[in-house]
Amino acid sequence: MGVSKVDSMISQMTLEEKVGLVVGVGLPGFFGNPHSQVPGAAGETRRILRLGIPAAVLADGPAGLRINPKREGDEKTYHATAFPIETMLASTWNREVLEEVGKAVGEEVREYGVDILLAPAMNIHRNSLCGRNFEYYSEDPLLTGEMAASFVKGVQSQGVGACLKHFAANNQETNRMIIDTVVSERALREIYLKGFEIAVKKAKPWAVMSAYNKLNGRYCSQNKWLLTKVLREDWGFEGFVMTDWYAGDNPVEQMEAGNDLIMPGKVNQINPKRKDEVEEILNAVKDGRLSENILDRNVRNILKVLVNSPAFKGYKYTDKPDLEGHAKIAYKAGVEGAVLLKNDGVLPIKEDARIALFGVGQIETVKGGTGSGDTHPKYVISILEGLREKHLKVDEELAKTYGDYVSTMRSRDEYKIRRMFFGIPIAPKLPEDFLTEEKLEEATEKNDIGIVVISRISGEGYDRKPEKGDYYLSDDERRLIEKVSQVFRSRGKKVVALLNIGGPIEVASWRDLVDGILLIWQAGQETGRIVADLLIGKVNPSGKLPTTFPKDYSDIPSWNFPGEPKNNPQKVVYDEGIYVGYRYYDTFNVKPAYEFGFGLSYTTFEYGGLKILKTENSIKVSFTITNTGRFPGKEVAQIYIRAPKGAVDKPFHELKGFHKTKLLNPGESETVEVEIDLRDISSFNCGLWILEKGEYEVRVGASSRDIRLTGTFTIDEEKKYNP
Ligand code: BGC
């Protein structure tokens, strides 16, 4: 259906119908609203039966489709696959994997009758404690943008839409609906907007969700500069923009700014002081405060997209997506996204090694975060179940002790799992240090290795804390690790820590107590299977960190997170500018515990043969990677560029390209070729992208601090590019 058809539809619409189309129908299933036609979906657009315009269904989210698994009076189930969290997907650094995950999610979206997926989420990890970092990819905009673009391509190849969110600079949960993010245009363009720019240009997403926060004094959903100048004029975005749920405070300003759709609609149901959006927009058009042309433009933006949706096409969905096939994709993404942080000759373990498994997380394995990024899969394979399923020799007596402990404790009032608003589970952490000395001794005697699971959960609506039990180990977790370390090592046996977490925790003060650390993130429904295969080396870890693990929370440059005043932040000033993540640590020589891009393997790789070819508008970098060890494995090669000192201050170096190799057998090589646009290595200054002249260094490495090859190229003449 072409644009003229859309225009003809618009010409037949009454003013009321047009206004109805730019405001959602209300939060389905809450405040007396009926459920969505797909129960559990986050929202719906209004249908106009008279003109054959159906309702489009919108549902979360980043780790898989979030809909209700059960429906009233219905025997069938509607489970969706729980994929690894986005941060883990980014740890794969594998565009094909992201596209495959996108395809799988897209198929579930389509076959469950949803039209637009509210993902990917792509805010930058400005501070390790943002409660939703698990839903975001990385501290780096290139990695974020590339991962998002591949995911969107995958989703949209299934005939449904993806929605980039939260646009933009939504980097904390504290007071997220009112906080004013104050940030320079340079930091916006280079860091906080860049990922969105890449995804918009490369993948043409159907939709973008404007963020809750204010950006330099104006709500993102009411920010014309952001939604019209940057998104449409500078980048050429052709889809439609929707608000985040109940965002902003002025529907007329939202319309004018270029926020086409207000979601979920009916804000007055949660805030009686606020006016009904439909009424407000209608009155504004009637009394001349809002031009009908603007309304028409927004309706057109929405319809142009929706005419391609399954709803519009009358697609007959099956409610039977290929969950079995998708479980395999979730597994594949998980094994590629785990990051081996430390390995002093302990991993992989032998398949018949006797394992003493410690930590409540072996049973209560955390599959992902809470809130709209949650999922409702058919099952979650816990770490213990995964090891058992693969017939690893788990100490069953110890496992039973843990099982009994967890069920006894959870039956006590203080540790009962409670449900907050919208059914979000709150599970108070169980003390980890409960095993008697005898039990520990016995476990050490009987087993070859000790594995300690450390778990964390975070979610939408609250930020993590720089405290024990969250960013730091709790005292009981530390005691558990100390004791296990002491008893196992005193018998010449080794200890491994498994980090089942959604974002960085402090590791520097205790990592010497263990011989290996495997970061398994929150790997979705297949977690246990993923862990088992990595431990025994059936798969070689090939993930690399998409976000720095700082030595200590006090090292993080966003010192004022989550804003001022401390007790009730209204404003957060991004004083650190572009110095986010490794851009800060590497420029100011602050050594992290594990740097951006870091990740070990069971094999080793050698880099060689760097060639740099400069063309008119790009540089072509090529080099060879050889597997020099004994295991087949994949390597993530990273290309950083160090710009010359010029008029604008520059970070020490910045990621400008990357490549994940195929599975290389011992002795096998792959030649890597990466082309980098010159525009993409310029800096934003006074309204333009500027490529300063001088000598640039190309730094090819296995991480941001493990540079293996360097070379240079020269820019003779300064170049300028429009934003
Ligand atoms: C979240 C969005 C989500 C929406 C609908 C909001 O609270 O910020 O990410 O898509 O709810 O569930």
Side-chain angles (χ1 to χ4, degrees):
M1 220 176 290
V3 173
S4 58
K5 175 78 186 179
V6 167
D7 279 328
S8 121
M9 272 192 294
I10 296 173
S11 69
Q12 295 174 59
M13 289 168 83
T14 64
L15 178 61
E16 282 72 14
E17 283 169 339
K18 289 184 204 168
V19 177
L21 200 75
V22 297
V23 180
V25 295
L27 191 65
F30 290 90
F31 312 116
N33 296 327
H35 269 294
S36 162
Q37 39 184 318
V38 181
E44 266 182 33
T45 60
R46 216 172 296 259
R47 61 167 61 83
I48 308 177
L49 274 179
R50 188 178 75 84
L51 299 175
I53 299 176
V57 178
L58 319 180
D60 293 300
L65 178 65
R66 183 177 66 94
I67 55 172
N68 293 353
K70 299 208 170 107
R71 297 177 186 174
E72 255 182 57
D74 185 344
E75 289 294 293
K76 285 200 297 252
T77 55
Y78 300 82
H79 294 288
T81 308
F83 292 89
I85 55 168
E86 267 193 20
T87 311
M88 185 172 204
L89 293 177
S91 305
T92 68
W93 296 63
N94 190 331
R95 295 174 178 88
E96 284 94 61
V97 165
L98 268 283
E99 192 164 337
E100 230 179 308
V101 171
K103 273 189 189 151
V105 179
E107 201 233 347
E108 295 187 19
V109 168
R110 193 187 64 220
E111 292 310 320
Y112 276 135
V114 174
D115 298 283
I116 296 185
L117 176 76
L118 302 172
M122 39 190 314
N123 297 99
I124 293 291
H125 295 165
R126 171 178 182 247
N127 186 293
S128 307
L129 299 186
C130 170
R132 289 182 90 175
N133 274 352
F134 74 95
E135 289 188 62
Y136 306 145
Y137 293 110
S138 169
E139 70 186 26
D140 179 81
L142 175 74
L143 184 58
T144 297
E146 289 291 322
M147 295 291 98
S150 299
F151 179 80
V152 170
K153 280 184 203 161
V155 170
Q156 296 193 165
S157 72
Q158 300 304 298
V160 295
C163 173
L164 312 184
K165 68 187 189 186
H166 309 89
F167 191 58
N170 180 180
N171 308 100
Q172 64 184 59
E173 289 302 283
T174 307
N175 280 353
R176 65 178 177 161
M177 295 186 81
I178 51 131
I179 193 87
D180 184 12
T181 303
V182 178
V183 51
S184 71
E185 183 167 358
R186 179 176 183 201
L188 277 173
R189 294 278 189 175
E190 292 187 18
I191 309 290
Y192 298 100
L193 298 178
K194 193 71 190 176
F196 288 97
E197 178 181 355
I198 295 169
V200 163
K201 289 182 174 168
K202 285 201 162 172
K204 298 198 179 307
W206 287 18
V208 164
M209 184 189 292
S210 53
Y212 281 129
N213 51 290
K214 293 176 188 147
L215 182 62
N216 294 324
R218 199 172 274 275
Y219 280 111
C220 289
S221 63
Q222 293 161 207
N223 197 317
K224 194 166 176 183
W225 176 81
L226 183 69
L227 303 184
T228 299
K229 162 82 172 80
V230 173
L231 183 61
R232 291 194 188 270
E233 293 169 13
D234 293 348
W235 302 346
F237 174 66
E238 288 174 353
F240 73 87
V241 177
M242 69 180 87
T243 61
D244 198 345
W245 271 224
Y246 302 113
D249 65 356
N250 187 332
V252 177
E253 253 181 52
Q254 288 173 330
M255 288 296 105
E256 273 170 348
N259 194 116
D260 308 296
L261 175 65
I262 295 176
M263 289 304 290
K266 298 190 191 165
V267 77
N268 60 338
Q269 285 186 326
I270 57 159
N271 182 355
K273 281 197 221 136
R274 298 250 308 255
K275 294 185 190 131
D276 178 283
E277 294 114 339
V278 171
E279 226 173 276
E280 179 64 3
I281 296 172
L282 207 53
N283 290 338
V285 177
K286 284 184 181 159
D287 63 27
R289 280 179 295 131
L290 178 68
S291 126
E292 194 165 346
N293 287 340
I294 292 208
L295 185 62
D296 285 355
R297 175 199 69 185
N298 296 359
V299 169
R300 186 175 303 111
N301 286 338
I302 298 170
L303 280 180
K304 255 174 25 194
V305 169
L306 293 192
V307 290
N308 295 314
S309 65
F312 232 97
K313 294 180 171 164
Y315 181 73
K316 301 257 175 304
Y317 53 91
T318 59
D319 281 330
K320 287 199 186 84
D322 179 14
L323 295 180
E324 271 175 37
H326 299 169
K328 295 198 181 95
I329 295 170
Y331 164 88
K332 185 171 162 188
V335 287
E336 283 222 9
V339 186
L340 182 60
L341 293 178
K342 174 171 180 168
N343 192 13
D344 285 349
V346 54
L347 293 172
I349 58 171
K350 293 208 184 80
E351 271 183 54
D352 61 357
R354 293 163 305 165
I355 302 169
L357 200 50
F358 299 94
V360 167
Q362 65 178 287
I363 294 165
E364 295 190 332
T365 303
V366 179
K367 73 171 191 314
T370 59
S372 60
D374 202 354
T375 45
H376 305 296
K378 203 173 213 152
Y379 57 82
V380 176
I381 304 291
S382 70
I383 293 169
L384 176 61
E385 285 162 348
L387 268 54
R388 277 180 182 152
E389 196 188 275
K390 303 275 171 169
H391 307 296
L392 303 195
K393 296 215 166 106
V394 179
D395 181 335
E396 286 298 341
E397 219 178 297
L398 182 62
K400 181 170 183 320
T401 307
Y402 267 95
D404 293 346
Y405 173 72
V406 171
S407 48
T408 313
M409 295 295 273
R410 286 292 178 217
S411 66
R412 288 197 196 157
D413 262 1
E414 55 182 314
Y415 292 114
K416 277 216 169 93
I417 300 178
R418 294 188 172 78
R419 300 254 157 208
M420 287 199 323
F421 55 92
F422 297 123
I424 294 173
I426 293 289
K429 270 185 79 56
L430 300 184
E432 291 282 7
D433 179 29
F434 70 92
L435 293 172
T436 59
E437 301 242 321
E438 297 75 59
K439 203 76 212 141
L440 264 171
E441 289 288 342
E442 196 189 310
T444 318
E445 277 296 323
K446 276 173 34 193
N447 295 291
D448 303 311
I449 182 164
I451 298 184
V452 185
V453 182
I454 298 294
S455 292
R456 290 284 180 277
I457 191 156
S458 73
E460 181 175 356
Y462 60 97
D463 286 316
R464 295 175 50 203
K465 298 215 156 50
E467 291 169 4
K468 286 182 182 175
D470 195 337
Y471 186 75
Y472 297 94
L473 290 187
S474 59
D475 290 335
D476 50 286
E477 285 169 335
R478 185 175 292 267
R479 278 197 301 272
L480 175 69
I481 293 183
E482 278 166 1
K483 286 183 186 170
V484 171
S485 171
Q486 200 271 325
V487 287
F488 274 79
R489 283 181 166 178
S490 67
R491 286 177 177 73
K493 297 176 180 179
K494 299 206 172 192
V495 178
V496 169
L498 291 179
L499 301 184
N500 173 210
I501 58 182
I505 60 169
E506 189 275 333
V507 291
S509 70
W510 58 267
R511 63 181 161 187
D512 289 348
L513 295 171
V514 298
D515 307 286
I517 304 179
L518 183 62
L519 170 59
I520 57 165
W521 295 114
Q522 294 163 346
Q525 65 181 45
E526 303 296 314
T527 301
R529 293 175 177 147
I530 292 164
V531 171
D533 284 349
L534 289 164
L535 285 177
I536 58 173
K538 188 166 170 224
V539 191
N540 187 349
S542 65
K544 302 240 179 168
L545 289 180
T547 207
T548 306
F549 271 53
K551 266 217 177 106
D552 190 73
Y553 182 71
S554 58
D555 290 341
I556 295 180
S558 45
W559 59 273
N560 57 4
F561 177 92
E564 318 273 327
K566 280 269 170 277
N567 59 347
N568 184 17
Q570 304 294 307
K571 182 159 118 176
V572 56
V573 183
Y574 287 12
D575 276 334
E576 71 285 357
I578 57 163
Y579 294 102
V580 177
Y582 69 89
R583 285 171 169 76
Y584 168 78
Y585 301 112
D586 293 355
T587 308
F588 297 97
N589 234 332
V590 179
K591 198 168 183 308
Y594 295 110
E595 73 269 15
F596 176 78
F598 177 81
L600 301 169
S601 164
Y602 297 154
T603 189
T604 48
F605 297 98
E606 223 170 75
Y607 288 61
L610 175 65
K611 292 197 192 76
I612 302 166
L613 180 73
K614 193 168 144 274
T615 70
E616 175 70 15
N617 295 314
S618 72
I619 53 156
K620 290 181 175 162
V621 179
S622 68
F623 52 92
T624 305
I625 295 179
T626 308
N627 182 345
T628 48
R630 287 182 296 125
F631 271 85
K634 297 183 181 183
E635 170 70 326
V636 176
Q638 301 152 46
I639 302 163
Y640 296 85
I641 304 261
R642 184 169 189 187
K645 293 240 170 311
V648 189
D649 62 315
K650 302 273 170 54
F652 176 75
H653 60 186
E654 295 180 279
L655 183 75
K656 294 297 172 187
F658 61 89
H659 174 84
K660 187 159 196 172
T661 65
K662 62 177 188 185
L663 188 73
L664 293 174
N665 284 315
E668 199 181 352
S669 298
E670 182 175 326
T671 300
V672 178
E673 286 174 346
V674 176
E675 184 167 4
I676 302 168
D677 243 37
L678 289 182
R679 186 184 194 276
D680 294 335
I681 55 178
S682 56
S683 307
F684 198 85
N685 193 16
C686 301
L688 289 174
W689 290 100
I690 299 189
L691 182 71
E692 294 198 64
K693 62 179 184 192
E695 192 177 83
Y696 287 74
E697 190 181 24
V698 175
R699 302 161 56 80
V700 178
S703 85
S704 54
R705 286 178 173 241
D706 181 7
I707 300 299
R708 306 288 183 85
L709 305 168
T710 58
T712 58
F713 66 94
T714 308
I715 300 293
D716 303 318
E717 286 269 318
E718 182 181 278
K719 284 183 197 258
K720 292 186 176 155
Y721 307 88
N722 287 326

